[in-house]
Amino acid sequence: MTYRVLFFLVAILLVLGGCKKEEGFTIRGKITHAEDQTIVLEELHTTSLKKIAETKINKKGEFELSAMTGIPTFYLLKLSDQNFITLLVDSAETVTIEADAANFYREYNVDGSPGSAQVKMLDTKLKDTRHKLDSLQSLDNLYAGNPEYDNVRPLWEEEYDKIVEEQVEFSTNFVRENPFSMASVLALYQKFSNEDESYIVSDLQAMKTAASALNSIYPKSEQVQALYNNTLQFVRQQQSAEMRKFIQEQGDNSPEIVLPDPDGNDVALSSLRGKVVLIQFWAAVDRGSRIQNPVLVEAYNKYKRKGFEIYQVSVDVNRAEWVDAIDQDKLSWINVGDMEGSKLAAAVYNVQSVPYNYLLDEEGKIVAKNLKGPALNKALSQLLD
C-alpha cells in the first residue's frame, strides 16, 4: 500500500470518527438455565465500572438490553460479579449472545459485533495459555522430590517457555495487524497473571503504532488516552535506558558531543576535561531559555576564573536567530549546534524539553542535572569554592 493511499484512508477514518454521534445499540440473546435472573450491562472505565442497563431474563432464557455510544466501548455483561463476559460494542450494533449460565464466562457465542468477537478471541487464547501454564506448574509441584524430577524439569521449562513465546507472538501480531481496533487496547494490557508486573506485549513499536492510530480516531476514549499517555512514558523510559546503556558502553559518565560553533569549528565536549562544565541545552526561540541566560552569565562571570565552563548546545534550526541571541544575551562561553535541532546530542542526553542542563565535574562525571538559579550557584560553590 502506498503512503498516499494510507494517508487517504486515515483521513477518511478521521472524518468519520470526528463526525460520529452517539447512537443506540442493542444486546439480545439467550442464556439457558438463567431464567428469572437479572443480567446487568456495565460500562468499563479505566478505574471504575458504571451500570448502564439491566433486565430480567425471561422464562425462555431470553433478554434484551439497549444503550447509547458514539465510539467502540468496552462493557461487562454480568450474571454476577464472578460470572461475566467482556464486550466491545460500537454504535448501531445489534449484538447477539448465546450461552449457558453455568459456564457463561468461559463459553459463549457472539454475533453482530466485530469488536466483541475480537475480544472473545483474545480472551479465549489467553485462557488457553494460562491453563497450559498452570498444568505445567502443577506437574512441577507434583514431581518435586521425585527421583526423576531433575530429568523431566528441563523439558517442562522448555515447554513453558515455548507456550509463553507463542502467546507473546500471537498478541503482538494482533496489535500490529489491528492498530485501528479498540481490541488492541485489551491486547496491550493483558498479562499472564494478575501478579505479573509486565504485560504480554512488550514490543514498543507495536504499542506506539496502536496508540497513535487509535488516538487519531478516538481521542476522547478514556482507554485510548491512558494507552497514549502510557506509551509516552514507556518511550521516555526506553530513551533513558538507552542513555544509560550508551554511557556504560562508552565507559564514561558523560557521552561525547562534537558540534560546530558559530564559526563552523567543531568543539568536542571532551576537550573541556579538567574543568567543571555545565552542558546547557537551549533554543534562541524559546522564552524559557532566554530567561535563564542572564542567570548563566552571572554564574559564568563569577566562576570562570576558577575553572568553570559552559558548553551550550542549541536545538535551533535557524542560524541567524541563534547567532543574534548569542550576541543579544552576551553569551561569551562555548556555543554549538548543527542547526538541525542537535537531535543526536539531545537524544543521547535524554533531553525532552529546553532549557535543560547537566553539570559535570573535572573528570566528566555527571553530578547534577536541570539546575536553575540558586541551585546552580550552590552546586558551583560546592565544587569550586
Side-chain angles (χ1 to χ4, degrees), residues 228-350:
Y228 192 81
N229 291 332
N230 287 344
T231 302
L232 291 178
Q233 181 182 356
F234 290 146
V235 168
R236 294 189 187 104
Q237 290 174 351
Q238 184 192 50
Q239 290 173 337
S240 296
E242 289 175 350
M243 177 186 172
R244 289 193 295 270
K245 181 180 178 183
F246 184 88
I247 290 173
Q248 291 171 356
E249 290 175 348
Q250 293 293 313
D252 200 349
N253 187 266
S254 54
E256 178 69 294
I257 301 175
V258 180
L259 287 169
D261 65 14
D263 295 325
N265 301 312
D266 285 341
V267 182
L269 174 63
S270 59
S271 67
L272 303 177
R273 288 295 161 79
K275 295 185 177 183
V276 172
V277 180
L278 183 75
I279 309 174
Q280 177 81 6
F281 289 85
W282 75 301
V285 294
D286 175 64
R287 184 171 179 271
S289 296
R290 301 296 293 275
I291 289 174
Q292 270 201 24
N293 278 343
V295 178
L296 297 181
V297 169
E298 182 179 348
Y300 187 66
N301 291 334
K302 181 178 180 181
Y303 289 103
K304 64 180 180 180
R305 292 182 181 85
K306 296 182 179 182
F308 176 54
E309 188 57 74
I310 296 178
Y311 187 87
Q312 198 166 29
V313 181
S314 168
V315 298
D316 289 294
V317 294
N318 187 305
R319 187 179 185 283
E321 291 176 335
W322 175 46
V323 173
D324 285 347
I326 292 173
D327 182 59
Q328 291 172 14
D329 294 353
K330 297 179 173 58
L331 310 182
S332 57
W333 50 75
I334 298 170
N335 240 295
V336 296
D338 59 12
M339 295 302 100
E340 294 180 357
S342 302
K343 295 176 183 177
L344 179 58
V348 167
Y349 279 86
N350 195 30

